[in-house]
Amino acid sequence: MLLDIARAILAQPTAPFHEDAVRAEILMQLAQCPHVTTELDDFGNVIACYRRGTGEARYAFAAHMDHPAYVGGEFLGGVPVEYREKNPPLRDFGAFAMWDLPAFELRDGRIFSRACDDLIGCAAMVALFHELERAGAETCVHGLFTRAEEVGFVGAIRLAQSGRVPKTLTVVSLETSSEKGGPAQMGAGVIVRVGDRTSIFDDAATASLLDAAQRAEIPVQRCLMSGGTCEATAYQLYGYRSAGLCVALGNYHNCGPDTQIASEFVSVDDVAGMVRLMVAATTGAPAADPHAALRARLEAGVASYARFTEPPV
Ligand SMILES: [Zn+2]
């Protein structure tokens, strides 16, 4: 299911401010989910909501629908000039042009694509909604699919400024993140991202995700991924409690070996783990205090050294 969803979304061309094909595919796939409602904000970001039962939502997951590309002859997004000046072949989509690379290839347990960043995050979120439907989960969760992240979080900032997303929700950014930007290993599990190049995320929200992973026995890596800045930083600037999940990304922004433009790639297992962790966080009982287990462990240590404390005077 995940691969079918990913293949269909990755097949859509995209660029900053030209996300309409990706958005149409996402809306079509979400229309198959009877408990999911979708709406667009003034800027064209998608706000989705799965609701079954009476539970309050705790999370809004967030992914962006664009990818660096040429728009009207101008390159939008972070790709160093030494890659671009080699004039790699382009594929023209009318209003914009992408690198002429395959949309989707599956090889050795990895997905290769011209635009894993962040269509993989979008696909993971759609897979979450489908999985909740399949399981008949009684829960409520929001999904934010944003535009024009690659030029400075334009969609996320417009959405945050609009106040449409309640501040009671924890916003969890879903990203693919350069494997060079941290100690994470591709294939070793979804990454609970404690921060990005610019900021660190909410400690309690991060602890809650780690707690959910541990309870569901999902392998995770806990890392600072400093290769780029993600939307969690943007939402945090507008007062949202934020956290991040990501998967390690090879050839970040299509920058391959020898200064050649190449397909980005991710591990299928890592992406599946990301979906499982979202399901676990969304459906599991919230930890009353995500720090309780750690505090209990440390307090047991304190007690075990009671014999070394000074006698009372
Ligand atoms: Zn990017």
Side-chain angles (χ1 to χ4, degrees):
M1 182 178 72
L2 171 63
L3 288 176
D4 292 337
I5 291 169
R7 185 184 286 109
I9 292 176
L10 287 162
Q12 309 307 320
T14 191
F17 306 103
H18 294 277
E19 302 86 352
D20 42 308
V22 169
R23 185 175 58 198
E25 179 63 34
I26 289 169
L27 291 173
M28 197 179 73
Q29 295 204 23
L30 292 181
Q32 300 159 16
C33 300
H35 297 86
V36 174
T37 54
T38 53
E39 50 186 279
L40 300 190
D41 71 0
D42 297 342
F43 186 60
N45 299 303
V46 178
I47 304 163
C49 179
Y50 173 95
R51 183 184 298 280
R52 187 166 181 160
T54 54
E56 288 278 311
R58 288 182 285 141
Y59 291 107
F61 293 101
H64 63 91
M65 301 183 285
D66 62 317
H67 187 79
Y70 281 99
V71 177
E74 186 181 346
F75 194 82
L76 299 184
V79 175
V81 67
E82 56 268 32
Y83 288 83
R84 287 186 272 131
E85 69 192 3
K86 290 188 175 172
N87 293 320
L90 293 170
R91 183 150 171 215
D92 187 17
F93 293 98
F96 62 95
M98 301 180 77
W99 305 123
D100 190 16
L101 294 166
F104 181 97
E105 284 180 323
L106 195 57
R107 270 201 320 271
D108 307 325
R110 291 174 170 179
I111 295 168
F112 291 78
S113 172
R114 63 192 177 197
C116 287
D117 169 20
D118 186 23
L119 300 189
I120 287 292
C122 294
M125 191 149 47
V126 171
L128 163 71
F129 286 122
H130 278 260
E131 182 55 29
L132 294 175
E133 288 286 355
R134 194 195 59 77
E138 300 254 333
T139 190
C140 182
V141 59
H142 296 251
L144 314 174
F145 299 89
T146 55
R147 301 182 53 211
E149 184 269 357
E150 297 289 356
V151 292
F153 318 110
V154 177
I157 288 170
R158 296 280 294 263
L159 186 56
Q161 287 176 328
S162 77
R164 284 179 79 118
V165 180
K167 290 268 161 76
T168 49
L169 298 176
T170 297
V171 180
V172 180
S173 162
L174 306 176
E175 269 285 2
T176 59
S177 182
S178 174
E179 59 179 347
K180 295 190 181 128
Q185 266 189 308
M186 186 173 295
V190 57
I191 297 158
V192 175
R193 184 178 197 174
V194 302
D196 59 23
R197 182 188 284 166
T198 312
S199 64
I200 58 163
F201 308 146
D202 184 80
D203 180 56
T206 301
S208 292
L209 292 171
L210 289 166
D211 178 73
Q214 194 179 19
R215 283 193 280 170
E217 296 179 6
I218 299 162
V220 292
Q221 313 182 68
R222 176 184 175 279
C223 301
L224 174 73
M225 299 297 280
S226 57
T229 304
C230 77
E231 289 186 326
T233 284
Y235 289 108
Q236 203 158 245
L237 289 175
Y238 292 87
Y240 287 94
R241 187 190 308 122
S242 297
L245 294 179
C246 65
V247 295
L249 175 68
N251 293 344
Y252 169 67
H253 281 187
N254 308 103
C255 296
D258 306 323
T259 331
Q260 298 292 331
I261 287 294
S263 288
E264 294 182 323
F265 58 94
V266 296
S267 146
V268 175
D269 287 348
D270 290 348
V271 183
M274 179 186 258
V275 178
R276 283 180 63 208
L277 180 48
M278 285 193 280
V279 171
T282 304
T283 57
D289 174 358
H291 293 119
L294 176 59
R295 191 183 304 109
R297 187 153 58 80
L298 293 178
E299 284 179 355
V302 170
S304 76
Y305 287 108
R307 65 189 184 281
F308 293 116
T309 56
E310 301 239 344
V313 262

